[in-house]
Amino acid sequence: MTALQLFVEKGYHETKVSDIAAAVPMSTGLMFHYFKSKEELLAALVTMGMEYTKATAGGEGIPADIFLKGMLDELFKYAKLQPFVSNMFVLMAQARRAGMPEHIRKLAMSVEAVDNTAKAIKKGQKEGVFREGNPKLLALCFWSAFQGIMEEMTIDKSLETPDSEWLMGILRK
């Protein structure tokens, strides 16, 4: 979690293994006992982030709007209680950018949250609760708004989470 926070605050490239070890605190040598490199540590964090996104594939048997609102409510609640949640969203976005180690970038790009949400939106459109439009583009708007909030929460720890209905308004008729 310390590495996650430092990667988000300083950036992956600007964070040294010695910075992480000092913040924990532990020796740099001991740090290398657990992770062979900073890149391996980043890969472990991105893999952890991917595990969290699997929740976007749920919702079977639940109306799409109820599922997505419930997911947002839980994400906002946990982001306020556990700052690693907002940090993880920021790190996952950073990991997708050019300049990151290519295998980690590919790993981060394989996250299916947008595609999973597009399926829920398509379902919600059939249920008559979501507006018409390209489900994938609507999912991108939805997650981009959420991502922006998570980024602001990493900057301003006192920021309150918004009402999840505000983001649901992007989708609702």
Side-chain angles (χ1 to χ4, degrees):
M1 294 305 108
T2 300
L4 173 62
Q5 183 176 347
L6 288 171
F7 287 161
V8 167
E9 289 175 1
K10 293 177 69 171
Y12 170 74
H13 295 291
E14 298 301 316
T15 302
K16 298 179 183 106
V17 173
S18 60
D19 297 333
I20 300 166
V24 172
M26 72 170 55
S27 70
T28 302
L30 183 58
M31 186 78 181
F32 282 118
H33 172 75
Y34 292 105
F35 297 97
K36 292 182 177 104
S37 66
K38 181 173 74 167
E39 191 172 307
E40 185 179 292
L41 176 54
L42 177 63
L45 287 168
V46 169
T47 300
M48 182 188 306
M50 289 180 62
E51 288 300 313
Y52 290 123
T53 65
K54 289 181 180 177
T56 62
E60 294 301 317
I62 302 170
D65 60 331
I66 303 296
F67 172 72
L68 290 176
K69 183 180 182 319
M71 182 178 60
L72 279 179
D73 287 341
E74 291 300 307
L75 283 169
F76 282 142
K77 179 173 83 176
Y78 287 115
K80 200 62 188 164
L81 294 173
Q82 300 290 336
F84 87 88
V85 173
S86 54
N87 285 340
M88 186 59 76
F89 273 91
V90 172
L91 180 73
M92 292 300 287
Q94 290 174 350
R96 294 168 48 120
R97 294 191 179 112
M100 295 302 274
E102 192 57 31
H103 71 281
I104 291 171
R105 193 166 173 258
K106 284 181 182 177
L107 195 61
M109 295 292 280
S110 72
V111 169
E112 297 177 345
V114 170
D115 291 333
N116 291 337
T117 304
K119 289 175 190 170
I121 290 169
K122 190 172 185 174
K123 178 182 170 193
Q125 288 170 329
K126 288 179 183 172
E127 295 167 348
V129 294
F130 291 154
R131 70 179 69 239
E132 293 301 315
N134 180 319
K136 187 164 185 171
L137 190 53
L138 284 165
L140 281 169
C141 290
F142 176 84
W143 282 114
S144 294
F146 184 84
Q147 179 69 30
I149 294 163
M150 293 295 102
E151 289 183 16
E152 290 301 318
M153 287 179 71
T154 64
I155 295 166
D156 181 356
K157 307 289 188 230
S158 68
L159 186 67
E160 292 297 316
T161 56
D163 184 329
S164 59
E165 276 300 328
W166 300 348
L167 273 71
M168 292 301 295
I170 294 169
L171 306 176
R172 292 195 195 277
K173 279 188 167 187

